[in-house]
Each structure stands twice: as structure tokens, then as C-alpha cells.
Amino acid sequence: MVVGLFRVADARSAAPLLLINESHSLPRGLYRRTSGAAFSPGAVVAVIPPASAGPRLLALGYPPGQRLLKRIAAAPGAEVCARETGLVAVDGLVLDIPPLQDASRVWTGCRRLGPDQWLVLGETARSFDSRSFGPVSTAALEGPYRLVRSW
């Protein structure tokens, strides 16, 4: 469940060049940061979680400061809606992701993302993502990354 167990630095960026994902949010494997790519829906990014997520991450066994690999589901300006089950709609389209197993931490209702807000999601019912901690800022995103080897 650790992202970034193995981390290779790049002098041009503070973001790690390589990350290992052992979490349940995205396929397990080795991810490499891509150069020159912009953030956009569908891209995989490393997320520096908000401070408010710290206690929950510690309870899940993540070390402090741990990055989370997630997929961008919505960009600034999109209307996002969440239901109690964790199902999410972006601009009126329901996303094809399973509902969260633990729906007690889900925000509900609809909101339009601000000019510096991104919705990031995992792909499983066990993911800890924007359904739990809300949108994140551009400063909290690193990458994008692509899967280079899975296991």
C-alpha cells in the first residue's frame, strides 16, 4: 500500500522520476514521470494529500508525507457531484468507478471546481481519494506518470 517505496530523483524537478505503487487505487507497478505533458482528465498523477487527510492516511498505514497515485477525473471549471455511495458525476456524466466501501468519509452534493482545483480518483472501492478529502490544488499534483511495468 505504499506509493514511492522506490524513488529516483531528477535534478530538473522535485517530483520523483519513478514511483512504485503498491496501493489498491491504480494498477500495482512501476510508474515513470513523463516529460512535457500537461495535467488533464485521465492522466495519472502523484498527489501530495491535504493535511486534513493525514490522520486517515496514518490509520491506513501510510507514512507521513506519502504521495498517492491517482487519476485526474475532473479539471478546473468542471461541475462535480458526489453521492453518499461515493459515485461521482463530472459535468453530468456518471463515472465508471466502483462506489467506495467506506462511504462515511464521502462529501456529497454538487460543486463547480475552482480555477485551481482538480478532482483525483482511484479505480477501486478501497481508494482514498477526492471522494474522501475533496479537490486538490495544482501545487499538490506531480507528474503526470505512466505505468511502465505492472505486477
Side-chain angles (χ1 to χ4, degrees), residues 37-62:
F39 298 136
S40 61
V44 172
V45 292
V47 178
I48 300 167
S52 62
R56 177 70 179 141
L57 288 170
L58 286 174
L60 292 171
Y62 288 88

Side-chain angles (χ1 to χ4, degrees), residues 11 20 26 36 42 45 52-54 61 80 83 85 94 105 109 124-125 130 150-151:
I20 290 178
L26 293 173
V45 292
S52 62
V80 296
R83 298 188 180 101
T85 60
V94 176
R105 291 179 243 301
T124 70
S130 283
S150 62
W151 50 78

